[in-house]
Amino acid sequence: MKSTLNNFYILIFALIALLVIPCDSADDACARLANDYKQSNGDPNFSLKHSDVQACFESFPYDKNLAKNTIETLKRSLQGFYVFLSQAKEPPQQGFSFRAMDLIKELDSLLSNNYKTDYQFMMDTFNLINDLKDPHLGFMQSCYFTFSYDQQLSLYSVVNNNEQIIKIFEDKKDKNTIDCEVTHIDGKPSIEVIKEYADTLPLSRDSGARFNYALSRVIFDDNGDLVETPGSFTSRRNLPNNSSVEYSLKCANDASKNFTREWKVTPKTPIMFNMFNTSKDYWDTFCLINDNITVPSSNATNVKAVTQKIYNVTEAKMVYKTSISEFFILSDKKTGVFVLSSVSAPDFVDELFEIQNGFNLLENSGIKKLVLDFSDNIGGSIELGFFIVYLLFPGSDPSFNQDMVVTEISREAFFQATAQSELKHYIDISKIPPFNISSNESIARWAADAAYDVTSGDSDFDAFSYKNPATHEHFHNAKEFIGNNANIRGGTPTKYTTKFVNRYSERLGTFIELVSGNFFNKYEWKNKDMIILTNGLCGSACASISQRMAIKHNVSTVAIGGYKDTQLSYASFPGGQIIKFDDFLEDLDGIGLLQNKTLVDLIPLPFEINAKFSFTLREAYDVVNKYDLNQEDVLEFIFKPAEYRIYYDEITARDPSVLWLKVAKLLN
Ligand SMILES: *[C@@H]1O[C@H](CO)[C@@H](O)[C@H](O)[C@H]1NC(C)=O
Ligand SMILES: *[C@@H]1O[C@H](CO)[C@@H](O)[C@H](O)[C@H]1NC(C)=O
Ligand SMILES: *[C@@H]1O[C@H](CO)[C@@H](O)[C@H](O)[C@H]1NC(C)=O
Ligand SMILES: *[C@@H]1O[C@H](CO)[C@@H](O)[C@H](O)[C@H]1NC(C)=O
Ligand SMILES: *[C@@H]1O[C@H](CO)[C@@H](O)[C@H](O)[C@H]1NC(C)=O
Ligand SMILES: *[C@@H]1O[C@H](CO)[C@@H](O)[C@H](O)[C@H]1NC(C)=O
Ligand SMILES: *[C@@H]1O[C@H](CO)[C@@H](O)[C@H](O)[C@H]1NC(C)=O
Ligand SMILES: *[C@@H]1O[C@H](CO)[C@@H](O)[C@H](O)[C@H]1NC(C)=O
Ligand SMILES: *[C@@H]1O[C@H](CO)[C@@H](O)[C@H](O)[C@H]1NC(C)=O
Ligand SMILES: *[C@@H]1O[C@H](CO)[C@@H](O)[C@H](O)[C@H]1NC(C)=O
Ligand SMILES: *[C@@H]1O[C@H](CO)[C@@H](O)[C@H](O)[C@H]1NC(C)=O
Ligand SMILES: *[C@@H]1O[C@H](CO)[C@@H](O)[C@H](O)[C@H]1NC(C)=O
């Protein structure tokens, strides 16, 4: 009797235990991820389960309030400041593809969906914003981007006998598949499947550039080694729909072969697994804003260290290298190549001199022609970009006119920022570094350093930071800067500021002239001696460099890859200026706008979630067509295809020097 009662109690206790400890790893997918990872003991072949990642992400229920607040912050930021909001309603020009939309209306309509999970809502928001194909505009909930998904093989596309096909670029698990043709993926024609995937990417308004991004290319890494950068079709950052991909191959001798490859799922930062044990931990640590926890950013160098294959450069010799560029001399002995893979240097002023050293070396070697390879370059500092244009075209004005949108809240931002700036007319000499007079170069370096520090503005909304390109005078007050310029774009009357360029001609002004040729060296190369080569993935400040050279200086352009018989842009997303949400709030806080009670309904509030968000603050205009003085074309929306096209083959896809030789022939 007694023992039966005891058993009964034990049974009850066990039931209660089951009910109150739902975090047992048997039914908590996030916990399973953590356990599996810990048990893998650093096995390099270990993969997390696709199904566990999906179940972990889908374990967080939709919270309508959180969703509403997220959308509200996005809407207030975009309605107040996103410069392309109206124009994004206009259908794309021929050559471009994106979903024209009323973004505010679309964001609102997400809230009327009956979501079950937070994941679904956040990914719909992510995808909606990506549909505009403006890479300066982006939103992502970071906790759904913590893993990498790798096929351990990669793809590329060649045109052979006038036919475009997909091939295997590299295969880490089975070397026998390399260079086999991929006829089908998941049972459908491979190009179709890759196009469908590539068109979900926000990378460019040009579908051909998106296709290039989905496929593998080679790039020069920080050591100057030529390595593969895997196409995103086989190397993803968000959870793929299926746990595996099926390939149908046609190899040498027409042997065909079908196989299925699982995604290898690994954490972007392994130490994330020290930061959670359960779904609740995962949500609190990675999904919500939590000032007490800093989530470490990904350790790319660590990943790279794992036996990166180095490809050979057979037709060129590297003669100089800076932190963001390489200089080569081709085997024809008369063509130099300038490879610029970023416009964002660790030391701005140092880079000004380093890049000159590279060009000086080419000139001193008797180089007559230049191939400017700006592939896979997503930009950086517009000032550094302009410096490069100045260097090759001294005395030119590399600026394109820009403006910002004028709304109730941005108007107030201009007034408050400019009012504060008026109080600070003096130059803060404490920012000027000590003078070093030992050589001409050191004087120029000093001048550049001093100018760079002194001219850096505090706020993007300060009218004193800009000048009027029509009068060449800086703006004297906010009213003059705001002006009275209404345009109808996307059927919506919209106000824009007076057109402007940066007051210090993108900060350095005469100092840039000083260090870029007027003081040291003027090169012999003329526009007809140069050609710009890109794979379309030359964005932002890189687009500014190449478009300025092409449009203002008539430098030829050639684009590589893309779809056969379809024109391809040589540059993508020239934009104007990107602003990251955190910097944006800091700026508004600095000028006192966040404290203004009358604007409380318009001011965006910080996210409650751990999100990354940025948008385009300024837009740049095309140069005025000499036959139409009223032309108001926004560069971002103008399709500018390259003059020449080249497609990859088995050799040029892996050895850019062979490609450069082909490109150099276009110069003759
Ligand atoms: C990982 O897998 C490869 C084959 O794909 C095998 O050669 C290698 O030995 C494995 N490594 C370990 C540590 O199991
Ligand atoms: C391989 O896949 C293709 C395309 O899905 C299909 O037509 C073919 O029958 C498959 N071959 C084999 C041997 O399964
Ligand atoms: C994944 O599935 C969703 C819904 O079924 C679909 O909208 C989306 O396009 C798919 N993504 C890819 C890359 O196939
Ligand atoms: C996912 O896999 C199924 C079969 O396993 C296939 O029918 C489907 O097309 C795949 N979906 C995608 C988006 O690849
Ligand atoms: C996870 O569990 C381990 C072992 O019980 C513990 O040391 C660690 O503090 C836990 N981590 C978190 C984030 O709760
Ligand atoms: C952060 O830490 C402080 C002090 O330890 C604590 O009072 C606060 O509740 C923590 N906040 C969160 C969100 O965990
Ligand atoms: C990144 O890698 C370096 C070198 O292996 C290591 O010292 C560092 O702790 C790693 N950082 C993170 C966040 O994983
Ligand atoms: C590079 O060239 C060396 C020497 O000719 C050769 O051994 C190596 O396999 C080549 N590397 C690649 C990736 O082709
Ligand atoms: C500086 O430049 C001037 C003019 O080019 C030249 O005459 C002078 O010798 C240079 N001085 C030094 C220290 O290099
Ligand atoms: C001054 O410039 C010379 C030559 O560029 C350099 O070697 C030296 O280190 C500089 N001195 C200081 C104090 O920066
Ligand atoms: C630009 O270059 C093209 C071809 O190289 C040439 O035909 C044209 O005259 C040039 N235009 C100007 C304004 O230099
Ligand atoms: C706050 O904003 C209102 C409306 O734009 C403006 O009239 C007022 O001057 C601002 N207040 C301050 C303290 O800047």
Side-chain angles (χ1 to χ4, degrees):
M1 181 77 184
K2 209 173 177 194
S3 91
T4 318
L5 198 63
N6 264 351
N7 284 347
F8 181 70
Y9 279 131
I10 289 165
L11 185 62
I12 296 240
F13 181 77
L15 276 174
I16 289 173
L18 263 181
L19 290 175
V20 299
I21 312 176
C23 296
D24 182 271
S25 71
D27 51 15
D28 179 338
C30 302
R32 281 202 299 277
L33 291 173
N35 281 339
D36 282 1
Y37 188 78
K38 280 168 194 158
Q39 274 160 28
S40 72
N41 284 324
D43 176 359
N45 291 341
F46 169 75
S47 170
L48 296 161
K49 290 202 184 73
H50 178 279
S51 56
D52 283 345
V53 174
Q54 182 162 353
C56 172
F57 289 173
E58 289 177 347
S59 68
F60 312 122
Y62 178 59
D63 176 339
K64 181 119 200 190
N65 225 17
L66 196 65
K68 249 167 65 188
N69 294 343
T70 302
I71 294 290
E72 189 62 25
T73 291
L74 291 173
K75 274 171 52 184
R76 287 187 186 187
S77 308
L78 299 172
Q79 275 174 315
F81 297 91
Y82 179 44
V83 74
F84 297 141
L85 193 62
S86 293
Q87 185 138 9
K89 298 177 193 169
E90 288 179 18
Q93 264 202 354
Q94 173 120 40
F96 277 164
S97 58
F98 59 90
R99 184 154 80 86
M101 67 170 96
D102 181 338
L103 182 55
I104 300 300
K105 219 156 127 193
E106 296 284 335
L107 285 168
D108 270 331
S109 77
L110 288 179
L111 290 175
S112 56
N113 295 343
N114 278 322
Y115 288 108
K116 293 212 164 46
T117 66
D118 181 73
Y119 176 60
Q120 218 179 358
F121 163 74
M122 291 295 176
M123 292 311 287
D124 273 8
T125 311
F126 168 79
N127 287 321
L128 171 70
I129 283 178
N130 284 353
D131 279 350
L132 278 177
K133 309 301 176 207
D134 172 3
H136 286 124
L137 169 71
F139 166 81
M140 68 184 219
Q141 159 58 296
S142 306
C143 69
Y144 302 127
F145 295 84
T146 46
F147 302 105
S148 304
Y149 311 87
D150 184 14
Q151 281 284 291
Q152 297 184 274
L153 60 71
S154 58
L155 306 175
Y156 71 120
S157 178
V158 298
V159 174
N160 283 342
N161 306 319
N162 215 23
E163 194 200 353
Q164 182 162 31
I165 56 171
I166 301 294
K167 300 186 82 169
I168 304 262
F169 189 88
E170 180 58 75
D171 189 339
K172 290 190 194 130
K173 290 185 79 166
D174 180 2
K175 300 284 170 222
N176 295 321
T177 71
I178 294 175
D179 268 331
C180 290
E181 179 186 346
V182 180
T183 60
H184 293 79
I185 296 175
D186 289 329
K188 285 185 286 187
S190 53
I191 292 193
E192 233 171 74
V193 175
I194 291 165
K195 178 173 194 315
E196 196 180 310
Y197 165 76
D199 284 342
T200 67
L201 301 170
L203 253 289
S204 171
R205 296 180 192 277
D206 185 324
S207 171
R210 302 195 290 262
F211 182 70
N212 280 346
Y213 187 78
L215 298 169
S216 280
R217 297 89 67 199
V218 285
I219 57 162
F220 293 94
D221 70 6
D222 291 345
N223 302 323
D225 288 332
L226 186 63
V227 295
E228 179 189 2
T229 184
S232 79
F233 182 81
T234 53
S235 178
R236 308 233 179 138
R237 54 185 203 130
N238 52 357
L239 184 71
N241 278 354
N242 284 0
S243 64
S244 62
V245 179
E246 193 196 327
Y247 299 88
S248 308
L249 303 190
K250 200 162 83 189
C251 300
N253 308 324
D254 277 344
S256 63
K257 172 170 167 178
N258 292 359
F259 69 99
T260 298
R261 182 68 64 87
E262 299 285 321
W263 289 100
K264 181 177 177 184
V265 185
T266 52
K268 280 190 185 147
T269 51
I271 62 167
M272 74 178 279
F273 283 109
N274 298 338
M275 301 173 73
F276 76 99
N277 291 322
T278 63
S279 293
K280 184 173 183 320
D281 298 344
Y282 190 93
W283 175 258
D284 291 345
T285 306
F286 303 116
C287 297
L288 295 181
I289 281 282
N290 189 338
D291 291 337
N292 292 357
I293 297 172
T294 357
V295 181
S297 58
S298 79
N299 207 338
T301 44
N302 224 8
V303 179
K304 238 189 200 167
V306 185
T307 56
Q308 183 71 297
K309 180 168 171 182
I310 296 171
Y311 290 84
N312 291 325
V313 180
T314 58
E315 297 291 339
K317 191 168 178 296
M318 191 189 294
V319 292
Y320 203 73
K321 181 175 175 348
T322 79
S323 63
I324 57 172
S325 68
E326 290 85 27
F327 292 82
F328 294 86
I329 294 179
L330 278 191
S331 57
D332 69 3
K333 299 276 191 283
K334 55 180 195 214
T335 310
V337 182
F338 172 51
V339 177
L340 184 71
S341 48
S342 164
V343 197
S344 189
D347 181 333
F348 177 85
V349 172
D350 196 51
E351 192 64 30
L352 302 184
F353 289 89
E354 285 298 296
I355 288 181
Q356 281 189 91
N357 288 343
F359 280 116
N360 291 348
L361 215 154
L362 292 187
E363 184 166 73
N364 295 339
S365 309
I367 290 304
K368 299 289 178 237
K369 309 270 177 193
L370 290 178
V371 173
L372 309 171
D373 187 343
F374 297 157
S375 298
D376 276 288
N377 180 331
I378 56 159
S381 156
I382 192 76
E383 287 135 347
L384 189 50
F386 284 170
F387 170 76
I388 293 166
V389 182
Y390 263 121
L391 197 58
L392 295 173
F393 298 96
S396 67
D397 172 9
S399 297
F400 285 168
N401 295 349
Q402 302 197 322
D403 65 17
M404 288 187 256
V405 70
V406 178
T407 62
E408 196 178 341
I409 181 169
S410 77
R411 174 189 300 274
E412 194 49 39
F414 299 134
F415 273 113
Q416 290 194 198
T418 309
Q420 288 201 3
S421 177
E422 275 170 335
L423 302 174
K424 298 191 267 181
H425 255 333
Y426 64 91
I427 285 174
D428 180 0
I429 51 169
S430 70
K431 283 183 175 174
I432 299 178
F435 200 87
N436 178 351
I437 202 157
S438 62
S439 71
N440 282 341
E441 182 179 319
S442 69
I443 295 169
R445 272 181 191 258
W446 171 84
D449 261 327
Y452 192 63
D453 287 342
V454 166
T455 59
S456 52
D458 288 337
S459 171
D460 285 316
F461 306 108
D462 176 0
F464 285 108
S465 306
Y466 306 107
K467 69 182 179 192
N468 186 333
T471 62
H472 299 289
E473 284 249 347
H474 73 82
F475 292 97
H476 301 87
N477 54 57
K479 201 157 169 263
E480 186 189 348
F481 179 68
I482 291 166
N484 184 20
N485 315 283
N487 273 318
I488 295 189
R489 295 210 187 133
T492 313
T494 311
K495 288 188 172 146
Y496 299 89
T497 63
T498 307
K499 294 212 177 56
F500 61 80
V501 295
N502 279 7
R503 177 169 175 183
Y504 302 101
S505 192
E506 328 297 333
R507 205 125 117 199
L508 290 176
T510 44
F511 291 102
I512 265 189
E513 282 183 35
L514 184 78
V515 296
S516 69
N518 288 355
F519 196 60
F520 281 114
N521 203 354
K522 263 200 182 112
Y523 303 117
E524 295 290 319
W525 303 303
K526 298 282 172 287
N527 58 357
K528 61 173 180 24
D529 303 320
M530 305 174 196
I531 186 164
I532 294 169
L533 162 70
T534 87
N535 57 355
L537 300 169
C538 164
S540 202
C542 181
S544 301
I545 301 174
S546 55
Q547 290 189 333
R548 278 155 178 81
M549 287 195 190
I551 299 169
K552 291 197 162 177
H553 302 293
N554 207 17
V555 174
S556 300
T557 54
V558 50
I560 173 88
Y563 298 109
K564 185 170 130 352
D565 300 331
T566 308
Q567 289 188 306
L568 181 62
S569 306
Y570 61 89
S572 292
F573 62 103
Q577 187 202 337
I578 186 176
I579 192 161
K580 290 184 186 147
F581 186 64
D582 291 346
D583 297 336
F584 167 66
L585 281 194
E586 201 177 300
D587 195 340
L588 296 188
D589 186 40
I591 62 177
L593 197 85
L594 299 185
Q595 296 79 0
N596 188 327
K597 298 272 186 296
T598 45
L599 299 170
V600 75
D601 293 335
L602 299 174
I603 291 171
L605 297 173
F607 288 113
E608 295 157 59
I609 55 169
N610 184 14
K612 288 207 170 78
F613 173 44
S614 65
F615 58 88
T616 325
L617 181 65
R618 300 192 211 167
E619 63 188 350
Y621 287 85
D622 207 348
V623 282
V624 175
N625 180 323
K626 66 183 164 191
Y627 305 110
D628 175 8
L629 292 174
N630 296 318
Q631 186 173 306
E632 286 273 309
D633 288 340
V634 175
L635 268 177
E636 178 87 7
F637 293 88
I638 306 297
F639 178 58
K640 291 191 181 290
E643 218 173 316
Y644 301 104
R645 275 306 291 292
I646 295 187
Y647 304 108
Y648 289 110
D649 59 33
E650 285 78 355
I651 302 203
T652 53
R654 296 181 173 100
D655 184 350
S657 65
V658 179
L659 175 62
W660 297 332
L661 275 181
K662 278 190 174 186
V663 169
K665 291 219 174 76
L666 298 172
L667 278 169
N668 300 330

